[in-house]
């Protein structure tokens, strides 16, 4: 029998990632924090609720239109905390560097992290640096973990989607995925595209300020919008419906996807969120989002229709309806 | 002018690491938490003091006598929290895996992490998995971050060494470093050696139970005993004196060092701590330590003699006295 190996798809954020997490990590590390499968854990200390999250960043190339591995590493963890409804406060930062990396590359990355953390209102409070022999890593990998405070009464989780919930996104999807792909392949249309990498904590704070009926928040990174919606449908046991003609996709992204054969629904985003909110508050939440610099293009893209085993349907532009599954296989390794 | 590059020595835990941290990270990320240069940051939330730490593990080979990268990753972060005087509670765990890693290797590592975290009394509450293309990383790297609670009244820092303080270690030095080196080189004497990797939080809890006069705790990992003592001497502005004939070194480690030309004072340890304690409490702390499974071989190895710019002296066996500096260059890359 052939030995089973770890594949790129185990890190895609799609179906195989989900299986690996369930079969290996959850079964061994089992505890109530991990079992929620949210972007971070919520820890309780007396009357204090702390959100806690981690992510490693291995993006290739290190620098791309709209950002680099440094600000991505800050924004990514800030966003994971924000998706727990937390106000992010402190980050850790751990570098694994390949011997021979030009020092000025590291300096540029660190400077971006400084700026990104200042903009996001977080402090990098502790860190670690490992250097490995040439060839044992590709240039630089960064891990950030972060902690933030969840205010009393806030309970946001992928398990909380309810029938009738309105699904909102804060803007166009696929920008990050197509930008990285274009940079990597040296494609022509790259000039018109840039990554959407951005810190979303203050947008989330605005949303929570006007409503206590935000049920789910998730950032559709690896695996894209489709995978994220499937995870939520699965965790909450609901059926979700999204409308193809409502989903904002930039012309350049759409064109690149057509040429290259990618589906924007599966492309990674680094400055987007998906919110499930009560219908009675959806209008005021949407209005508040549109007033935020990272929410100007916010739109309702779908709704929760009924209880189910976790299905996501797309109402197509031509009037059809099709099931949208989690990402299977791997579209773009090292996208973040 | 030749371009400056990141060298293995920047990750050695020695002099160049220290310079990189001061010149690049502290100058950019400057804040009161980071500036302490302790093994973790101490965060204050109302009346709650939380210790927060991170480390990445890149050890080669993955499995060695006495442990593997998995338990090392748990113990390492548990120990960093313990060195802040904290009771470790929660860990994050982030994997960067090279495509093609046999799944059973990952399973073995995860199982070790499960056991190690249970033994250390911590929970792994959130995580991340990235898979990179073959050749972009060497098998697997693990990052753990951790948080723990620091009880009221406890104030342990590398800045707190005082004149007269007694320096205690909990056992022999160099075991981990020589074990990894032997495994890597396939040397003969490896059978008699094993890594000292162990969780030290309960040993620290015992020490803090009998005394409130523990001033400094530090685990001498990369860079070894000498580098750790130099960091403390520098942070506290004191002169330290250690006695060569008191420093416990196993016969096998000593022999290997002689053959290979290594100085045990610079070898990494993964289950050892250095404590600076008030002379009036040193006896009872030592007694308590000797009753703990990881403290049986505890010994006084030196003392703080006077204020200075941060010097460490070794009283040699033959009656001489020499300055012991930080590690310069790199002894063993990927030791942890």
């Amino acid at each position: 029998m052939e030995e089973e190996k770890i594949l790129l798809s185990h890190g895609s954020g799609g179906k195989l990632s989900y299986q690996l997490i369930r079969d290996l990590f959850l079964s061994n590390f089992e505890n109530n924090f991990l079992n929620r499968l949210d972007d971070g854990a919520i820890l309780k200390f007396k009357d204090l609720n702390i959100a806690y999250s981690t992510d490693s960043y291995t993006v290739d190339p290190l620098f791309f239109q709209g950002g680099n591995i440094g600000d991505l590493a800050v924004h990514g963890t800030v966003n994971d905390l924000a998706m727990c409804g937390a106000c992010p406060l402190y980050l850790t930062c751990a570098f694994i560097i390949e011997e021979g990396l030009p020092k000025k590359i590291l300096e540029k990355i660190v400077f971006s992290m400084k700026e990104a953390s200042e903009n996001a209102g977080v402090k990098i409070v502790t860190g670690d640096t490992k250097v490995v022999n040439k060839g044992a890593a590709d240039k630089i990998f960064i891990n950030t973990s972060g902690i933030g405070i969840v205010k009393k009464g806030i309970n946001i989780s992928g398990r909380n989607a309810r029938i009738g919930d309105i699904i909102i996104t804060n803007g166009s999807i696929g920008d990050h995925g197509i930008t990285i792909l274009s940079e990597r392949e040296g494609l022509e249309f790259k000039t018109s595209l840039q990554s959407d990498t951005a810190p979303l904590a203050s947008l989330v704070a605005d949303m929570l300020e006007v409503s206590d009926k935000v049920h789910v928040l998730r950032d559709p990174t690896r695996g894209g919008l489709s995978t994220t919606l499937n995870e939520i449908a699965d965790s909450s046991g609901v059926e979700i419906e999204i409308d193809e003609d409502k989903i904002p996709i930039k012309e350049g992204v759409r064109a690149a996807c057509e040429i290259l054969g990618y589906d924007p629904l599966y492309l990674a985003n680094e400055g987007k969120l998906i919110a499930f909110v009560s219908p009675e508050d959806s209008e005021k939440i949407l209005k508040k989002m549109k007033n935020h610099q990272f929410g100007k293009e916010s739109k309702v893209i779908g709704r929760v229709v009924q209880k189910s085993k976790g299905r996501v349907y797309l109402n197509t532009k031509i009037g059809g309806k099709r099931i949208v599954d989690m990402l299977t296989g791997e579209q773009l390794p090292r996208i973040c």
Side-chain angles (χ1 to χ4, degrees), chain A:
Chain A
M1 206 187 82
E2 215 185 321
E3 190 183 49
E4 211 180 339
K5 293 189 171 172
I6 298 297
L7 308 173
L8 283 172
S9 351
H10 283 111
S12 68
K15 205 168 239 178
L16 270 186
S17 299
Y18 202 53
Q19 278 171 12
L20 187 73
I21 290 168
R22 286 199 174 270
D23 299 347
L24 186 56
F25 303 138
L26 285 192
S27 67
N28 277 291
F29 301 151
E30 202 197 349
N31 58 65
N32 290 336
F33 307 101
L34 197 61
N35 296 352
R36 292 166 60 103
L37 285 177
D38 283 322
D39 282 341
I42 307 292
L43 312 173
K44 288 181 199 306
F45 295 93
K46 294 181 201 166
D47 61 341
L48 200 67
N49 286 341
I50 289 184
Y52 190 20
S53 186
T54 187
D55 257 333
S56 292
Y57 300 84
T58 64
V59 67
D60 173 38
L62 299 178
F63 296 86
F64 45 83
Q65 291 294 324
N68 64 60
I69 191 172
D71 44 41
L72 198 68
V74 171
H75 296 158
T77 292
V78 161
N79 291 351
D80 280 346
L81 294 171
M83 298 309 123
C84 300
C87 170
L89 292 174
Y90 303 111
L91 299 190
T92 64
C93 166
F95 298 100
I96 296 173
I97 306 173
E98 183 187 16
E99 176 190 12
L101 182 81
K103 201 174 168 196
K104 66 180 178 200
I105 298 279
L106 179 62
E107 285 166 353
K108 251 176 111 168
I109 291 168
V110 168
F111 187 70
S112 291
M113 297 185 79
K114 166 199 163 78
E115 287 197 315
S117 54
E118 283 170 2
N119 288 337
V122 295
K123 286 187 165 66
I124 296 173
V125 294
T126 188
D128 179 50
T129 308
K130 295 288 190 302
V131 182
V132 299
N133 317 58
K134 198 146 185 67
D138 186 15
K139 298 186 280 292
I140 186 168
F141 301 143
I142 302 178
N143 176 280
T144 51
S145 82
I147 69 182
I149 296 289
V150 184
K151 277 193 195 147
K152 253 182 206 158
I154 291 176
N155 173 19
I156 289 169
S157 166
R159 297 179 167 192
N160 294 353
R162 298 181 204 170
I163 296 165
D165 273 0
I166 301 296
I167 305 173
I168 304 174
T169 181
N170 62 321
S172 63
I173 62 164
D175 299 18
H176 179 76
I178 282 293
T179 302
I180 296 298
L181 180 72
S182 310
E183 299 264 358
R184 212 182 283 168
E185 308 296 335
L187 299 180
E188 281 301 320
F189 46 74
K190 76 177 183 190
T191 44
S192 65
L193 298 171
Q194 65 169 34
S195 167
D196 58 347
T197 179
L200 300 176
S202 74
L203 175 62
V204 168
D206 279 4
M207 296 165 70
L208 299 177
E209 191 191 305
V210 295
S211 171
D212 58 359
K213 296 190 174 66
V214 177
H215 301 146
V216 182
L217 289 170
R218 206 50 88 78
D219 54 340
T221 55
R222 283 180 292 171
L225 178 65
S226 293
T227 305
T228 301
L229 289 175
N230 269 281
E231 284 172 11
I232 296 167
D234 190 43
S235 291
S236 292
V238 296
E239 183 179 309
I240 290 169
E241 193 178 79
I242 51 172
D243 306 322
E244 192 176 16
D245 61 353
K246 305 274 175 60
I247 300 169
I249 301 173
K250 290 204 174 102
E251 209 32 66
V253 171
R254 194 184 300 276
C257 280
E258 268 167 29
I259 294 165
L260 300 164
Y262 283 94
D263 183 340
L265 294 179
Y266 293 98
L267 288 177
N269 309 279
E270 292 292 338
K272 293 295 153 10
L273 61 79
I274 308 299
F276 285 55
V277 307
S278 271
E280 63 265 39
D281 279 9
S282 63
E283 274 309 314
K284 65 177 175 185
I285 292 171
L286 196 62
K287 194 179 156 200
K288 188 77 182 176
M289 289 175 75
K290 285 183 171 170
N291 281 326
H292 191 281
Q293 63 167 321
F294 299 128
K296 289 195 182 79
E297 314 289 324
S298 296
K299 266 183 101 168
V300 171
I301 59 166
R303 62 213 68 82
V304 177
V305 287
Q306 59 183 45
K307 287 264 161 216
S308 89
K309 276 190 186 162
R311 284 257 163 90
V312 181
Y313 286 96
L314 180 76
N315 296 319
T316 64
K317 282 182 189 170
I318 54 168
K321 189 169 174 166
R322 68 170 170 93
I323 287 189
V324 174
D325 204 353
M326 276 194 185
L327 175 66
T328 51
E330 169 60 283
Q331 277 201 323
L332 294 165
R334 299 183 63 191
I335 199 71
C336 62

